[in-house]
Amino acid sequence: MIEESQLKKTESNLTGAANMDRQERWNVSFCDEIDSEMTPEIIDELLAVSPFDSIDNSRFSGKITLRGILENDCRIRTFEKGEIVVRQGDWGNSAFFVLDGQLIADLESEKKTESSILGTRKPNRKSFFQRVAQLWNRPKTAEYRDVTKYGKSQQVNTLGDGAQTRIFLSDISQTLDDCKTAAIETGQFFGELSALGRCPRQATVVANSNCKLVEIRWQGLRDLMRNDQTIRTHIDSIFRERALKWFLLNTPIFAKCSREQIDKLVQLAEFATYGQYDWAGSFKRISERIEEHDQNLNLEPIIANEGDHPNGLIIVRSGLARLTKKFENGHKTIGYLGPGQVFGVKEIAAGWKENVSGAFDYSLRSIGITTVVVIPTKVAEEILFSDELASRQLVSQNQQPSEFESINQDFVEFLVKKRIANGTATMLIDMDRCTRCDDCVKACAATHENNPRFLRNGPVQNNVMVANACMHCQDPVCMIECPTGAIHRDVDEGEVIINDNTCIGCTSCANNCPYDAIRMVDIRNKNGDLIRDSTSQLPILKATKCDLCFDQLGGPACQRACPHGALVRMNIQHVQSLADWFNR
C-alpha cells in the first residue's frame, strides 16, 4: 500500500507542481543571525521596562503581537567599554534601545576621528611615480598579501572572533577629544532614523561603559510605532529635531528660505515610507524575490498617481523612485528620482499662478524602499511660490526628466528589473563596439597588483552589457551587517570600498550584494601558498570588488584603457548622460 505522504509526492510529480509552506514574516528571527535567543524570561524583563511596560497589547491584532515582535524582531546585544556600536556613514536596518549603560555619539566623526581607528580606510591617492612603479612592482602571485602588515599599518583594536568580531577604542576620552559628542543614557533610543529611513548612520556611537542594548530591526520598530502612540510620537519628534531640519537645509530648493521658514517646514512636513520588505532574510534574496514579479507594477507602491491633484510637494529623502506615464494599455518609464530630488513643483506652481488645482503629469512609484518628505501644498505655495520670478526659476530647475523617452523601452525596463537604476558608477559595455580585447581587465589587474576586480560578463540587453563590477550603489545594502566596518562608503568621494586590513572574511557583504559584484578570495603568500587560519587550518578569505581605482589620479583604469570607447562608468540616475551615451 502506498503511504499518504508518498501519494502526495506522486500526485505532485504528475501535475508538475511542488508544494511548500508559504514564507511567513517570522520564518527567520532576528536572533538567528547572531545565534542567540529571546527567551520568555528576557521578554518578561523587557515588558517591565519603560516604554515597553506602557504599550497596550490589545492594540496589536492578528499574527503581529507585542510578544511576537519582541521575540522575533529584537535581540539582546552586549558591548564592552570602548566598543563601536555603529559608525557614521554605515548603512543599517535596525535601531537600538539602551537597557543598561551609557554610550557616546561622536557627531563629527567624519572630521575628527581617524578613519583607520574606526576600521575604515582613508583614500590615499598614489603619486605619479607610485603609479609608474606599480607596473614592475606587481607580485606574481594571485591575491598576494603581506600578512606582517596586518594590524600594523592602522591603529585597529578588535574583540571577538568570526562574525562576532568588533572594533573598539582603547582610549575613548583621547580619541574623541575636541569632538562634538552627546551622551546616550539608559532608556533612550538611537539609530531609529537610519533604520526607518534607509539612510546612512549620522554618527559614530561608542560604548562609554559596559552596555546592554536591545537591537530592533526596522520591521519591528515600524509595527511598534503603528500600534503605540507614545513610541510613534517619540520617534516623530526625534526625526523632526535631528534629521528633518538638516535635510531641508541641504535641499537646494529651500536654499533661499529663512530660518523661520525652515522651522515652519519642519513643523508641518510629513514623513512617509513606501515599500515593504516583510520577508526576513538577506537583501539579496529579497531582491531576487521582487525581480521575479517586476513586470507587475502593483508591486511598486504608488507615491503619487498620474492625474491626481497634488496635496503636497514630494522630496525623496532616501531610496529611488520611478517616474512612469500611461502609454497605450500600460505604462512606460520616464525617469528616476533619487535623494534630494523633488516631484510636483510644476503642478503646484501652475495651480498657485492660475488659482486652479493642477494634476500630476506622471506617476511616482517606489523602487524597493523609498522614504519621502511631503510639504503640504498650501505651505509650499506660501514659502516657495509667493514670488513669480522665483516660482519660474524653481520650475525650470526642477523639470522632470523626459530623456528616457528617447531610449528603447526594453532597455529602460531592464534597468528597473535588475535594479541597475541603483548604481552610481555602473559599468556599461557597448557590445557592438567591444572587440573582446580584454584591455579593460588587464588595466584593472595592472592597478590592483595583478588581481582584476571585475568580470567582463553580466546580463545583456539591447547589446549593452552590465558587467559584474561594483556599481557603488545609491543604497549599498552590502554594507549592512559588516561587523568591522571594513566595507564602507568614503564620506568625501562616495566610493564604496573595502579595507583589506579589517576584513575578516565573514561573507556578509558578498551575500547581501544583489549584483554578484563582490567575490571572496583565498589569500596567498609570495610563494603562492594559501594563508590558513592557525586554529582551524582553513584558508583565510577576503572580500574583493571594484573600488573605482580610488587611489589612482586618473580614475577608473578600465574606462581609460578601452581603445574603442565601448566601456563607460555611468550614474544611471543621470538620465541625460545615459540617453546621450545610449543614442550616440
Side-chain angles (χ1 to χ4, degrees):
M1 179 178 288
I2 300 177
E3 294 182 359
E4 183 177 353
S5 60
Q6 292 176 315
L7 180 61
K8 288 183 177 179
K9 183 177 180 180
T10 302
E11 291 174 348
S12 175
N13 291 335
L14 288 174
T15 59
N19 297 321
M20 65 170 287
D21 294 334
R22 183 183 297 275
Q23 290 282 349
E24 297 289 346
R25 158 76 179 275
W26 287 327
N27 273 23
V28 181
S29 77
F30 202 25
C31 288
D32 291 345
E33 298 178 14
I34 60 171
D35 194 23
S36 63
E37 184 180 5
M38 291 292 288
T39 65
E41 292 75 20
I42 294 176
I43 295 174
D44 290 339
E45 179 185 345
L46 282 179
L47 290 172
V49 175
S50 176
F52 301 104
D53 61 349
S54 62
I55 298 177
D56 184 1
N57 187 52
S58 65
R59 297 185 64 85
F60 295 80
S61 59
K63 295 182 179 180
I64 308 299
T65 64
L66 177 57
R67 290 190 73 92
I69 292 173
L70 297 181
E71 177 183 359
N72 295 285
D73 288 327
C74 299
R75 60 191 184 190
I76 301 297
R77 303 288 302 276
T78 57
F79 293 86
E80 297 182 17
K81 182 176 181 179
E83 280 193 63
I84 297 172
V85 182
V86 298
R87 297 167 191 77
Q88 187 269 344
D90 280 359
W91 250 244
N93 61 347
S94 62
F96 297 85
F97 176 79
V98 185
L99 275 178
D100 185 42
Q102 185 194 63
L103 303 99
I104 293 178
D106 173 12
L107 305 179
E108 296 181 341
S109 57
E110 75 277 15
K111 298 179 181 179
K112 299 292 184 180
T113 307
E114 288 294 329
S115 59
S116 59
I117 297 176
L118 300 179
T120 59
R121 182 180 177 185
K122 186 176 182 179
N124 184 20
R125 307 290 182 188
K126 291 181 179 179
S127 66
F128 172 78
F129 296 103
Q130 288 175 318
R131 292 172 60 201
V132 174
Q134 70 188 4
L135 296 177
W136 62 78
N137 287 337
R138 291 177 287 172
K140 297 181 180 180
T141 301
E143 301 298 345
Y144 163 74
R145 301 292 192 280
D146 183 355
V147 297
T148 62
K149 295 182 179 180
Y150 280 154
K152 293 186 178 181
S153 61
Q154 299 187 2
Q155 305 168 343
V156 177
N157 301 297
T158 61
L159 287 173
D161 298 312
Q164 298 301 311
T165 304
R166 293 196 288 253
I167 291 178
F168 71 95
L169 308 182
S170 56
D171 190 336
I172 301 177
S173 58
Q174 181 178 354
T175 303
L176 301 182
D177 187 34
D178 295 330
C179 291
K180 182 180 178 181
T181 62
I184 303 175
E185 307 286 352
T186 298
Q188 291 184 327
F189 282 95
F190 68 92
E192 65 278 7
L193 303 181
S194 298
L196 293 170
R198 294 290 298 121
C199 56
R201 304 288 189 187
Q202 296 180 341
T204 295
V205 178
V206 184
N208 197 33
S209 66
N210 291 343
C211 295
K212 186 177 182 181
L213 310 177
V214 180
E215 186 178 9
I216 312 172
R217 59 181 169 189
W218 79 268
Q219 293 97 331
L221 183 61
R222 174 202 60 198
D223 289 337
L224 288 176
M225 291 175 61
R226 283 177 176 173
N227 295 283
D228 185 76
Q229 179 65 37
T230 302
I231 292 182
R232 183 164 61 251
T233 301
H234 169 75
I235 300 297
D236 184 72
S237 63
I238 289 178
F239 167 72
R240 293 179 188 279
E241 176 186 349
R242 298 180 187 174
L244 182 55
K245 188 170 186 177
W246 178 89
F247 175 73
L248 294 177
L249 285 170
N250 287 275
T251 300
I253 197 171
F254 302 115
K256 296 182 179 181
C257 291
S258 66
R259 291 287 176 172
E260 292 76 15
Q261 289 174 322
I262 292 292
D263 289 340
K264 185 171 183 178
L265 290 171
V266 168
Q267 181 182 1
L268 298 176
E270 300 173 1
F271 179 66
T273 300
Y274 295 86
Q276 297 181 2
Y277 287 156
D278 281 333
W279 182 26
S282 75
F283 276 82
K284 184 175 182 179
R285 283 184 290 155
I286 291 167
S287 176
E288 291 169 351
R289 173 175 175 252
I290 292 177
E291 183 181 316
E292 295 173 359
H293 307 282
D294 229 0
Q295 297 302 320
N296 185 357
L297 288 178
N298 292 331
L299 291 178
E300 292 185 359
I302 292 285
I303 301 174
N305 208 6
E306 179 183 349
D308 285 356
H309 299 302
N311 59 3
L313 190 67
I314 300 171
I315 310 136
V316 178
R317 181 170 181 261
S318 65
L320 198 64
R322 171 160 52 156
L323 287 168
T324 64
K325 191 171 184 63
K326 292 178 181 178
F327 181 73
E328 295 182 350
N329 294 324
H331 295 77
K332 64 178 180 179
T333 300
I334 303 300
Y336 306 105
L337 294 184
Q341 291 186 284
V342 185
F343 179 78
V345 171
K346 185 182 72 172
E347 292 83 355
I348 292 179
W352 167 79
K353 183 178 180 180
E354 300 171 11
N355 198 26
V356 296
S357 183
F360 288 125
D361 291 335
Y362 309 109
S363 291
L364 188 65
R365 303 171 184 270
S366 170
I367 300 178
I369 296 180
T370 308
T371 60
V372 300
V373 173
V374 181
I375 307 297
T377 299
K378 289 188 178 300
V379 179
E381 290 175 344
E382 175 188 340
I383 293 178
L384 296 176
F385 303 112
S386 56
D387 179 81
E388 185 171 348
L389 177 60
S391 175
R392 286 202 301 270
Q393 291 175 342
L394 287 175
V395 172
S396 63
Q397 293 168 5
N398 290 275
Q399 290 286 351
Q400 304 302 344
S402 59
E403 292 83 359
F404 270 163
E405 294 184 358
S406 64
I407 303 178
N408 184 286
Q409 270 296 301
D410 289 341
F411 184 70
V412 174
E413 296 304 326
F414 162 78
L415 295 179
V416 177
K417 177 180 179 180
K418 297 293 185 181
R419 294 293 187 266
I420 295 166
N422 193 24
T424 66
T426 303
M427 181 185 290
L428 301 178
I429 302 177
D430 185 341
M431 302 305 291
D432 289 332
R433 294 193 179 195
C434 177
T435 62
R436 283 66 166 175
C437 64
D438 270 348
D439 281 359
C440 54
V441 179
K442 294 173 186 175
C444 180
T447 55
H448 294 95
E449 299 184 326
N450 255 359
N451 301 300
R453 294 308 185 202
F454 79 95
L455 301 176
R456 192 182 54 77
N457 57 33
V460 178
Q461 181 73 27
N462 291 82
N463 231 25
V464 174
M465 174 189 289
V466 180
N468 285 337
C470 177
M471 302 193 303
H472 302 266
C473 297
Q474 180 73 48
D475 187 6
V477 295
C478 59
M479 291 169 55
I480 297 173
E481 298 174 358
C482 177
T484 64
I487 186 166
H488 59 283
R489 166 160 274 161
D490 177 62
V491 175
D492 296 321
E493 302 297 330
E495 304 102 332
V496 178
I497 52 181
I498 297 175
N499 183 359
D500 188 77
N501 192 289
T502 55
C503 172
I504 61 172
C506 69
T507 74
S508 290
C509 57
N511 290 336
N512 281 340
C513 174
Y515 312 104
D516 296 321
I518 301 177
R519 295 184 297 131
M520 304 303 300
V521 298
D522 300 320
I523 60 173
R524 300 173 182 269
N525 62 21
K526 62 182 179 181
N527 297 321
D529 301 322
L530 288 173
I531 299 174
R532 300 179 182 274
D533 181 85
S534 57
T535 303
S536 68
Q537 289 301 302
L538 294 174
I540 298 292
L541 294 176
K542 293 286 183 177
T544 69
K545 68 173 193 65
C546 161
D547 58 8
L548 280 184
C549 298
F550 76 101
D551 57 354
Q552 304 289 323
L553 293 174
C558 55
Q559 180 172 329
R560 289 185 286 113
C562 182
H564 308 293
L567 186 153
V568 68
R569 301 307 292 255
M570 176 75 67
N571 187 334
I572 302 299
Q573 295 178 41
H574 292 170
V575 181
Q576 181 64 62
S577 299
L578 178 61
D580 291 343
W581 182 84
F582 188 86
N583 295 313
R584 59 191 173 144

